Amino acid sequence: MAADVHNKGGATWDTAKGGLAAVERMRSDRSDSPTPGLVEGTEPGAGQEHTMFVHAQSFEDLTADSESNPDAELTGNRRSAVGDSEEVQEGQGVELQGGSTGNEAGEQKQWAGQQRGLRPAREEDVTGEAWRAHRKHVFVLSEAGKPIYTRYGTEEALSTIMGVMMALVSFVEAEKNIIRSIHADGYRVVFLHKSPLVLVGVSRSSQSERELSRELQYVYYQIVSLLTLTQLDHVFRHKQNYDLRRLLAGSEHLTDNLLRMLEYDPGLLLNAVTSLPLASVARDALSAGLQVARAKSLVFSILLAGSRLVTLVRKKDQYLHHMDLHLLFNLVGSSSSFREGEGWTPICLPKFNTAGFFHAHISYLEPASNLCLILVSTDREDFFNLSDCRRRFLERLRRRSAYKALQEALHSPTYPVSQVGIPELWHFVYKSKSSGLYTSPELPVPYQGEEEHERLIRLYRYLHSCLHHPTRPLRSMYRSGNTENLFAWATSGFELYLCFSPLGTKALAMSAVTKLLKWIRKEEDRLFILNPLTY
Amino acid sequence: MISPRMASGMQEKQYTPSLLSFFIYNPKFGPREGEEEKKILFYHPSEVEKNEKIRNVGLCEAIVQFTRTFCPRKPAKSLHTQKNRQFFLEPEENFWMVMVVRNPMIEKPNKDGKPPTVEYQEEELLDSVYGAVLQQCYSMYKIFNSTFNRAVETGGVELLIQKLEKFFYRYLQTIHLQSCDLLDVFGGISFLPLDKMTYLKIQSFVNKVEENLSLVKYTAFLYNDQLIWSGLEQDDMRILYKYLTTSLFPRHSEPELAGRDSPLRPEVMGNLLHYGRFLTGPATLKDPDAKFRFPKIFVNTEDRSEELHLIVYKAMSAAVCFMINASVELTREFCEQMDALVGPQLTLLASDICEQYNINRRISGPEKEPQFKFIYFNHMNLAEKSTIHMRKTAGASLSSVHPDLMKILGDINCDFARVDEDEEIIVKAMTDYWVVGKKSDQRELYVILNQKNANLIEVNDEVKRLCSTQFNNIFFLD
């Protein structure tokens, strides 16, 4: 059957799948335009050497209940087991590892947002029409049915309904079955039981059950990233009806922000991140700078511009999962406190290891810019070492011309779709599968409002979910309607989502795809991170 | 198409979806604790232990109540679990029908005598399809029994329970869950296109019969399982059509095919030979003990609710339904009169239509495997046409394409159902088949193309050609 497909080479945009010998990923071999025989690792945007991320084949990879990276053995430090005798100090936030609080200078042991106080009052009438009308509700509760988080309203007001949710979950489980979702006209309720938590999402959009469940996973990992799974289990093993809000107090805005990211950031949908467009010479210089400014305990050095990755340097053989990276983005993006000085916060990267904490040194390179440096270490006493790494990196950086290029790039973090030169093309998202990076132009006029922006993401999400259907996936999908025409295409090397003016024809869409892929190939130096480095 | 599980060699068993349970309850009938059993009006399988019945009904009530938190007027329609899906329908206030369908599953044998691993395929069932099947269950009950409320009004809950028992015991055995698909969602009617002349002949035949036999209130005319003329309301005809084509007709073989000594051999009336016979009521008029009892149906239940005798009379491939007010008692004389009047004329009409039918078939070209197959449905007149499905057999209609492709059609249909806009979707499946869905002005067209090397533009052209040859009078969004 597979051989059959290869032989019939007639289709103009058919991809050969699998079966080809490994391709040397040398620059000289990179073709100028995508060819039918494009394979993973040679698509526009594919990294030159090693990829930066744990390579997720598809989002099913995320939804599968996989254990964290088995070969990611690091130092013993990671396994910061929680002593059995240890009592959890309520309200103390994250101090979970034995003994000392070690309140060294500059350390911020509390949640990034705690200083800002609790989120604004969210009193809402939970029986009212306005509360019901929210597009997406998310609830988190303990297995005892105790409320932990609600996106809208207060947990107190919703404790009865959360009790019902838990009752439904346990009732179905008592029959050795698992509740997945409830469907009604215009909305659906999705359940996710990841012991010791239960997550429930209610969505009024046409979002598929799988996508919603995946978003609940994100929320689950968000909570794990604050406490570690070991700690979570420990707490509930000791006191089944423990009120977890006491441990999470002040962190709700992280979940709030994550849920907003899920609405408008295609990266979370695609399991990919986007990078700041930057000349490769400058980017390579920055990478080299981070590579030199290393410390023994350093695992990842990440340079961000807003929500865009500038570069990432990692310890050899240690990979960062894009989900962990998104959680880091969320941590930085949710809080302004890191602007006030060098931050030092423990964080669990659950896709790496759900049992232990890393320690992240987070700082903005300059007070007014959105250039943020995250240094992830395994050693919780390492604040001053990392602070020194930052100083060395900055000193070196300021002496180089790359710094100027970076400053300029920060002024234009996006590009208009008109650069591609296809008038009917309104917007697109292109993901290089092997590098885990995507590129997308700024939103055009019809989608600039919040409502329209989210609508476009919902359309992409719909296409994505059709292409990645677990039992009947598609190669491509074209959908024309009154407001826009859409085209989605997945190959072994890339995924592409395009949005056209509703007046565009199919012939135009096909030629646009070819032209766009050529353009991306031409611009890949700038749009992607082709030479990721390791320490 | 070799599926990976077949290739893996081990003896795996695949199970199709099956009906786990089916129950009807009314929470108002046993509101107090300890009285829960009174809520249950029907439960299949009946041998399930009482407490389990109560538990399962309780879960449904809880789910429905829970979803009212988020939308008081639109409660749950289905519940997905790992092992099964439950479908909820409230056809009359407080009367709930629940159908529980087990997900298809694969049983993988384990070595060393361990019990086999069961893998549930949770993405295989389409809610739209099984929701429609459940709705059909109610409609079918209603056309033969009228509403639940009416039974309670006339004979109390006991009568309703009896009626449900009697109807669903048999009906549930006729549901073939594994072969349900998009056609069940549409619940459409296949119409036979005819030239004006033949159509007028049929209309004048109907008029003449209704004039001579004034008891006849409504008439419907079908040929070869396709509808030509109906005097019933659309929704009643749609369910009657379903009953005729999937239940009544398949049970009666054609008399032309019957042997010489068969009791179905043609009747001789005077000098005229005719093939007319009753499909409902007496098997033959010659039997002196024949009973002239016909099935009763209920139509227009929404407003005035009429109870009617259903007489189905057939000659060769032509079948006519005559519906007569149920308060009238039908006699031998009436049936003989009808047989004498309708038999010869219908036999002639049937051969006229047959001629037409064959001409049409010749025009549409030789019967080779075409490059494409399609389903068409018009929401306004319920007209449906499928070249994907073979002739319907009792209960099940067989599709000639891979089930995954049928499910892709179902997915596209769900997308169409969400927005009230014209839309077109073209997808390429992993098997390289192309599937096209078009929705325009209440009409939906789905095409499956077996042109694996075609590109999007060629596929688009192919579908355009199909639209102009098959549906030359229908506008579709380009």
Side-chain angles (χ1 to χ4, degrees):
Chain A
M1 176 83 193
D4 219 44
V5 176
H6 281 298
N7 295 337
K8 295 176 184 169
T12 51
W13 44 272
D14 207 345
T15 31
K17 55 164 196 176
L20 296 184
V23 179
E24 278 283 297
R25 297 176 188 179
M26 299 299 292
R27 167 130 296 223
S28 54
D29 286 352
R30 296 169 81 85
S31 55
D32 285 335
S33 69
T35 56
L38 200 61
V39 292
E40 198 177 327
T42 62
E43 78 276 8
Q48 290 295 294
E49 310 208 357
H50 303 291
T51 117
M52 287 178 293
F53 306 119
V54 174
H55 188 204
Q57 293 292 336
S58 61
F59 85 80
E60 288 74 21
D61 170 72
L62 289 185
T63 47
D65 260 2
S66 60
E67 288 305 301
S68 54
N69 205 357
D71 58 343
E73 272 301 321
L74 207 62
T75 65
N77 222 338
R78 264 175 51 215
R79 313 248 152 175
S80 46
V82 180
D84 266 352
S85 60
E86 190 189 348
E87 273 298 304
V88 175
Q89 308 272 308
E90 281 165 18
Q92 200 174 346
V94 282
E95 187 44 49
L96 304 168
Q97 314 178 8
S100 84
T101 350
N103 229 337
E104 285 97 343
E107 264 193 75
Q108 297 179 336
K109 279 278 187 182
Q110 292 165 312
W111 303 139
Q114 205 163 349
Q115 304 92 318
R116 303 193 311 178
L118 299 171
R119 1 180 220 184
R122 297 173 305 149
E123 288 295 344
E124 260 189 76
D125 177 10
V126 300
T127 55
E129 204 49 54
W131 183 82
R132 286 193 204 114
H134 288 299
R135 195 186 293 286
K136 191 180 292 169
H137 285 278
V138 172
F139 308 94
V140 183
L141 43 141
S142 73
E143 283 168 327
K146 276 228 163 157
I148 295 171
Y149 170 83
T150 174
R151 190 179 187 184
Y152 303 107
T154 60
E155 289 83 12
E156 290 77 11
L158 291 162
S159 62
T160 318
I161 185 93
M162 295 216 205
V164 173
M165 288 171 182
M166 191 58 229
L168 292 176
V169 169
S170 3
F171 187 95
V172 175
E173 283 177 4
E175 317 262 299
K176 297 196 170 48
N177 199 348
I178 305 164
I179 189 168
R180 302 285 195 212
S181 58
I182 302 172
H183 299 245
D185 275 335
Y187 65 98
R188 59 198 62 187
V189 186
V190 172
F191 295 82
L192 178 68
H193 186 180
K194 283 188 88 84
S195 191
L197 303 182
V198 172
L199 300 99
V200 181
V202 181
S203 170
R204 293 196 177 271
S205 69
S206 55
Q207 193 178 12
S208 75
E209 181 183 338
R210 298 182 304 280
E211 294 280 354
L212 196 53
S213 164
R214 199 181 73 103
E215 297 187 359
L216 293 179
Q217 300 236 8
Y218 254 108
V219 173
Y220 166 77
Y221 283 120
Q222 170 61 50
I223 292 170
V224 170
S225 82
L226 296 172
L227 297 175
T228 74
L229 185 57
T230 314
Q231 174 65 11
L232 262 181
D233 284 338
H234 176 81
V235 167
F236 286 110
R237 221 180 10 253
H238 278 246
K239 199 174 169 204
Q240 217 202 341
N241 64 350
Y242 184 79
D243 185 353
L244 197 68
R245 284 182 301 159
R246 291 194 269 187
L247 268 183
L248 293 173
S251 74
E252 296 89 344
H253 72 285
L254 287 174
T255 310
D256 291 347
N257 196 60
L258 177 72
L259 289 169
R260 273 196 300 278
M261 268 168 79
L262 284 162
E263 303 297 340
Y264 64 76
D265 188 341
L268 281 82
L269 170 68
L270 295 170
N271 300 326
V273 292
T274 190
S275 67
L276 178 77
L278 181 67
S280 62
V281 183
R283 198 186 313 269
D284 291 349
L286 290 168
S287 305
L290 286 177
Q291 188 186 34
V292 171
R294 73 180 128 196
K296 196 160 151 272
S297 61
L298 201 55
V299 195
F300 302 110
S301 308
I302 304 157
L303 187 59
L304 283 183
S307 61
R308 292 165 179 273
L309 188 63
V310 180
T311 184
L312 185 155
V313 180
R314 58 184 176 81
K315 203 175 185 116
K316 214 171 173 185
D317 303 327
Q318 302 302 334
Y319 294 91
L320 187 57
H321 196 284
H322 46 77
M323 190 182 240
D324 290 339
L325 188 57
H326 282 136
L327 292 176
L328 277 170
F329 279 20
N330 186 42
L331 177 68
V332 172
S334 303
S335 169
S336 57
S337 65
F338 297 115
R339 292 204 170 269
E340 291 157 13
E342 295 176 35
W344 182 237
T345 183
I347 182 167
C348 167
L349 297 177
K351 279 292 177 180
F352 195 94
N353 175 17
T354 53
F357 279 115
F358 282 104
H359 299 269
H361 180 282
I362 301 173
S363 62
Y364 283 84
L365 292 188
E366 276 155 3
S369 89
N370 60 356
L371 262 187
C372 182
L373 181 66
I374 308 173
L375 299 168
V376 181
S377 160
T378 52
D379 185 352
R380 74 190 163 91
E381 306 296 338
D382 224 16
F383 175 81
F384 292 108
N385 271 337
L386 297 193
S387 186
D388 191 49
C389 290
R390 172 188 189 266
R391 189 185 49 75
R392 274 153 45 210
F393 171 68
L394 254 181
E395 273 174 14
R396 185 188 148 109
L397 176 66
R398 288 196 171 121
R399 279 183 272 125
R400 314 249 156 184
S401 59
Y403 192 50
K404 198 158 167 283
L406 177 62
Q407 298 288 0
E408 272 163 26
L410 287 174
H411 288 299
S412 52
T414 60
Y415 53 94
V417 69
S418 58
Q419 281 191 8
V420 186
I422 306 165
E424 292 81 0
L425 181 63
W426 278 357
H427 192 253
F428 69 87
V429 181
Y430 169 91
K431 176 193 169 185
S432 145
K433 279 191 182 170
S434 61
S435 70
L437 292 166
Y438 77 91
T439 186
S440 185
E442 61 198 26
L443 288 164
V445 181
Y447 302 102
Q448 272 169 2
E450 193 181 335
E451 185 56 31
E452 283 300 297
H453 179 174
E454 286 179 17
R455 195 178 71 83
L456 180 64
I457 299 297
R458 282 202 297 278
L459 288 170
Y460 286 151
R461 199 156 56 193
Y462 168 71
L463 296 171
H464 180 270
S465 114
C466 291
L467 288 187
H468 296 273
H469 194 284
T471 57
R472 35 185 191 276
L474 304 173
R475 288 191 196 283
S476 70
M477 178 164 189
Y478 183 89
R479 178 180 186 265
S480 62
N482 292 345
T483 41
E484 60 270 294
N485 293 342
L486 299 161
F487 181 65
W489 182 22
T491 73
S492 58
F494 63 83
E495 277 174 45
L496 181 56
Y497 302 85
L498 304 104
C499 171
F500 294 96
S501 140
L503 303 172
T505 63
K506 293 174 191 97
L508 184 128
M510 291 305 95
S511 68
V513 167
T514 317
K515 194 165 174 187
L516 175 63
L517 287 173
K518 273 188 186 155
W519 183 84
I520 293 172
R521 174 64 90 202
K522 188 164 69 73
E523 299 287 325
E524 65 175 349
D525 278 356
R526 203 167 59 85
L527 300 178
F528 291 91
I529 302 173
L530 300 179
N531 304 304
L533 295 180
T534 58
Y535 308 127
Chain B
M1 277 246 332
I2 295 173
S3 67
R5 28 187 188 284
M6 286 164 72
S8 70
M10 289 276 271
Q11 277 292 314
E12 291 183 351
K13 267 205 223 152
Q14 188 140 21
Y15 294 89
T16 54
S18 62
L19 183 68
L20 279 184
S21 57
F22 183 101
F23 46 94
I24 300 169
Y25 68 90
N26 185 327
K28 295 277 181 272
F29 289 173
R32 276 187 291 273
E33 218 165 303
E35 287 185 342
E36 288 88 351
E37 203 187 358
K38 289 186 183 165
K39 293 176 187 173
I40 307 172
L41 303 170
F42 176 78
Y43 202 106
H44 163 89
S46 55
E47 55 278 11
V48 168
E49 194 251 326
K50 179 183 127 189
N51 284 327
E52 197 189 325
K53 287 180 185 172
I54 292 172
R55 258 207 321 277
N56 290 338
V57 167
L59 175 65
C60 298
E61 283 188 84
I63 295 278
V64 165
Q65 203 49 42
F66 168 67
T67 50
R68 289 198 201 273
T69 320
F70 299 101
C71 194
R73 284 172 313 279
K74 289 179 182 164
K77 291 180 92 176
S78 75
L79 167 71
H80 296 196
T81 68
Q82 180 199 27
K83 295 182 179 173
N84 60 53
R85 285 207 188 169
Q86 315 201 359
F87 300 90
F88 311 110
L89 177 69
E90 187 187 19
E92 296 173 39
E93 200 182 353
N94 291 319
F95 285 97
W96 285 88
M97 297 174 74
V98 182
M99 178 170 80
V100 187
V101 182
R102 198 202 54 214
N103 281 322
M105 56 184 198
I106 302 170
E107 212 179 70
K108 293 176 174 166
N110 275 325
K111 285 174 197 150
D112 317 323
K114 274 187 279 182
T117 321
V118 174
E119 199 179 277
Y120 290 91
Q121 299 173 294
E122 299 184 43
E123 302 277 352
E124 294 306 302
L125 302 180
L126 291 174
D127 275 12
S128 53
V129 170
Y130 293 93
V133 169
L134 183 57
Q135 175 66 51
Q136 236 168 48
C137 288
Y138 174 71
S139 304
M140 204 60 95
Y141 169 86
K142 194 178 72 170
I143 200 166
F144 289 110
N145 297 281
S146 191
T147 60
F148 297 158
N149 270 313
R150 167 128 172 207
V152 176
E153 280 158 21
T154 38
V157 180
E158 294 71 30
L159 179 68
L160 176 62
I161 290 174
Q162 269 173 34
K163 277 175 170 275
L164 292 173
E165 193 67 45
K166 190 165 166 245
F167 178 80
F168 283 109
Y169 175 75
R170 274 216 318 242
Y171 184 73
L172 292 179
Q173 296 172 2
T174 67
I175 302 181
H176 296 260
L177 288 177
Q178 72 279 9
S179 55
C180 294
D181 62 28
L182 189 57
L183 283 193
D184 292 283
V185 177
F186 294 147
I189 296 170
S190 173
F191 287 94
L192 182 68
L194 285 175
D195 70 320
K196 277 204 189 77
M197 201 52 214
T198 321
Y199 186 76
L200 282 175
K201 274 189 201 165
I202 291 166
Q203 211 163 28
S204 90
F205 160 79
V206 171
N207 288 341
K208 206 153 95 192
V209 176
E210 287 185 357
E211 199 173 298
N212 283 302
L213 303 168
S214 54
L215 284 178
V216 174
K217 195 154 186 202
Y218 304 106
T219 311
F221 196 110
L222 295 93
Y223 183 85
N224 210 10
D225 287 3
Q226 291 180 291
L227 187 66
I228 296 173
W229 201 91
S230 154
L232 277 181
E233 289 291 326
Q234 227 172 45
D235 274 340
D236 291 325
M237 190 59 228
R238 143 194 264 181
I239 201 73
L240 180 63
Y241 177 81
K242 172 91 186 165
Y243 164 72
L244 295 172
T245 53
T246 60
S247 177
L248 185 70
F249 293 162
R251 275 186 277 143
H252 293 84
S253 61
E254 312 264 325
E256 303 91 299
L257 307 175
R260 186 173 254 278
D261 299 322
S262 154
L264 293 174
R265 68 180 181 280
E267 301 264 343
V268 182
M269 293 294 292
N271 288 329
L272 187 64
L273 184 77
H274 77 80
Y275 289 91
R277 66 201 168 101
F278 289 93
L279 293 193
T280 59
T284 165
L285 294 176
K286 285 185 208 130
D287 182 356
D289 299 327
K291 294 272 195 304
F292 294 90
R293 275 209 299 269
F294 293 87
K296 293 204 179 95
I297 60 167
F298 295 82
V299 299
N300 291 319
T301 41
E302 292 302 306
D303 38 21
R304 53 192 191 279
S305 188
E306 292 177 85
E307 189 177 353
L308 304 164
H309 294 289
L310 174 66
I311 301 175
V312 184
Y313 190 90
K314 195 173 180 192
M316 300 197 285
S317 291
V320 199
C321 305
F322 299 108
M323 285 150 274
I324 292 167
N325 195 320
S327 58
V328 179
E329 200 169 322
L330 296 178
T331 59
R332 170 182 291 273
E333 291 66 42
F334 178 80
C335 292
E336 279 172 356
Q337 196 188 349
M338 178 176 270
D339 188 49
L341 176 73
V342 175
Q345 290 195 45
L346 193 59
T347 307
L348 281 174
L349 263 181
S351 60
D352 274 5
I353 303 169
C354 183
E355 219 167 279
Q356 262 280 308
Y357 189 74
N358 288 334
I359 292 169
N360 282 348
R361 284 241 297 239
R362 267 201 301 282
I363 290 169
S364 66
E367 292 235 354
K368 67 166 173 80
E369 182 80 344
Q371 285 286 308
F372 53 80
K373 294 184 174 177
F374 69 86
I375 295 180
Y376 165 84
F377 180 67
N378 183 341
H379 288 270
M380 280 178 297
N381 62 1
L382 306 180
E384 150 191 299
K385 190 169 179 182
S386 168
T387 64
I388 288 173
H389 295 79
M390 329 262 201
R391 198 185 155 83
K392 285 170 180 147
T393 55
S397 62
L398 295 168
S399 139
S400 60
V401 301
H402 192 274
D404 278 352
L405 286 173
M406 281 312 292
K407 281 170 199 153
I408 291 176
L409 295 189
D411 293 337
I412 296 177
N413 168 257
C414 288
D415 183 329
F416 287 167
R418 265 198 297 273
V419 264
D420 196 21
E421 273 175 22
D422 289 358
E423 240 183 72
E424 178 178 15
I425 290 177
I426 304 179
V427 307
K428 192 182 195 197
M430 279 298 167
T431 48
D432 286 325
Y433 276 93
W434 287 90
V435 179
V436 181
K438 277 167 175 274
K439 178 186 161 198
S440 173
D441 190 26
Q442 304 286 314
R443 297 182 180 88
E444 291 178 33
L445 174 69
Y446 300 85
V447 189
I448 298 174
L449 289 106
N450 183 15
Q451 287 167 327
K452 304 195 172 181
N453 297 319
N455 64 33
L456 185 70
I457 299 161
E458 289 159 358
V459 166
N460 190 48
D461 291 345
E462 193 64 41
V463 174
K464 263 190 196 161
R465 256 199 303 284
L466 166 74
C467 285
S468 64
T469 55
Q470 297 275 342
F471 309 101
N472 48 10
N473 50 350
I474 296 166
F475 166 75
F476 269 114
L477 181 81
D478 186 27

